Structure formats: structure tokens, C-alpha cells
Amino acid sequence: MMPPSPAAPPVVLSAPSGAGKTSIARALVAREQDFAFSVSATTRPLRGEEVNGVDYWFLSREEFLEMIRRGEFVEWAEVHGELYGTPLSSLAEASEGGRHVILDIDVQGARQIREAVPEALLLFILPPSVPTLLSRLAGRGTEGDAAIRRRLETALEELEAADVFDHHIVNEDLERAIREVRDLVRKGETVSRNDGVPEEVLRLRAGIESVLGRDTTSDSQ
């Protein structure tokens, strides 16, 4: 099922875990009246003070699969063993009044959005460095070393897809990153202008491979 055509193209924020895309999305929606958050659905359990219907729609795996069968997602993917997706109803509700709809989704979902809504603006959020990324992941206090390593493996795969996105934003200073996203969206530039993989992405990939103990020299030959 195709999603409704919104008055303002949706804005996709994707990033490796710990890069801060959710913080950026939440800040824009809280501060700016022309931004709205599309609430995703997931099968993962609640964390901390999360609220059902605000942070995510928390569903059982059976409920999620039934929504897939009924064609009720504009995109969905399985990440770290859990299902995530954007319900058509959430996208339509958030876009009412011509607001800019923020989708906080993974790279797989971003690709699906690009296919379903070609005019969507795809923004990739990057951490400033691998040590900062590790610090943010460890600071959550909800995952052990094995889970963090899994997220780093996924981050490598996500960074490989960086050239799919229209813009890359380094989240070294949260307030600056919020302003950059806001300004890009309000310019209304939805045609991809990406000229390739930026140096920041290449450095992050090399740093993560080093942490994971991979031999990067053999990969480059």
C-alpha cells in the first residue's frame, strides 16, 4: 500500500545507535510548530521512562506481523532481532496541516521511504568520533559489551549506506546539529545532492573496524 502524499515531504533521520538522531528529532518537535514526529512501531520492550504511543507503539511480534499482512506499514525492518516500522496511520496523522514529518528510522527503512516517497529528504546523523560513540552507547547503562559490539557491527553496515542520503550531519554539538537539520528541512531541498562518501564516514568506519579488531589493510587491497 502506498502512503498518502503529504503536503510537506517527510524527513528521514537515520544514524548508527548512539549518534543522537532521536534527541534531534525530539527537540525539533518540542520547539518548532511546523515539525511533527511520526511514532514508529516496534516489538522491542520499553526502556526507562518511555511511553507507549509517544516514544513508540510497543507491539507483540504477532501484532506487528499482522499489520505487515494487512499492508499497514509504509516501511518496516528487523534490527537486532526486533521489528521496527512506520505505520501509515502515524505518517498521515503527523503530516496534517502541512507539517514536516520527522521519521526516526534505520537505514533499511530509509531506503524503503526513498522508494515509496521519492521526494523525501534523507539525513544521516554521524557521531563526531568512535570514542564518543562508544561513550554514548555505554552511557545508556542498558546494554553489555556483547550488545555494544553488535551495535558496532550494525553501525559498519549502516555507514556503508551513507551515500544513499542527501546530507550528512556530524552531531558533535547537539544544538548546532538541531539547527542544521531545521535549516535544511525549511529550505525545502529534497533532491539528492550527495557527492559521495565524506571523510567523516571513512574515518568512523576505520575506527569501528579497529575497535572490532578487524584488519582494515586486507580489505583495501
Side-chain angles (χ1 to χ4, degrees), residues 149-218:
R149 184 178 180 86
R150 247 189 343 266
R151 291 196 178 277
L152 290 177
E153 294 276 4
T154 300
L156 272 182
E157 297 175 8
E158 292 168 333
L159 289 167
E160 290 286 346
D163 59 352
V164 172
F165 291 79
D166 300 315
H167 295 278
H168 307 93
I169 298 169
V170 178
N171 181 19
E172 183 170 10
D173 177 85
L174 180 59
E175 289 301 320
R176 186 171 63 213
I178 292 168
R179 289 195 301 271
E180 287 183 28
V181 171
R182 181 198 63 198
D183 293 345
L184 283 169
V185 173
R186 286 181 175 167
K187 285 179 182 177
E189 298 174 351
T190 56
V191 178
S192 177
R193 295 158 305 285
N194 181 16
D195 294 326
V197 179
E199 286 296 323
E200 292 90 344
V201 172
L202 298 177
R203 284 197 294 270
L204 286 169
R205 278 164 47 181
I208 291 173
E209 287 173 338
S210 177
V211 170
L212 293 173
R214 295 186 178 180
D215 181 2
T216 58
T217 58
S218 61

Side-chain angles (χ1 to χ4, degrees), residues 13 15 19-27 37 55-56 104 125 140:
L13 295 186
K21 72 182 188 305
T22 300
S23 297
I24 294 171
R26 294 293 181 194
F37 190 67
D55 298 284
Y56 283 96
D104 175 2
I125 310 300
R140 290 176 173 179

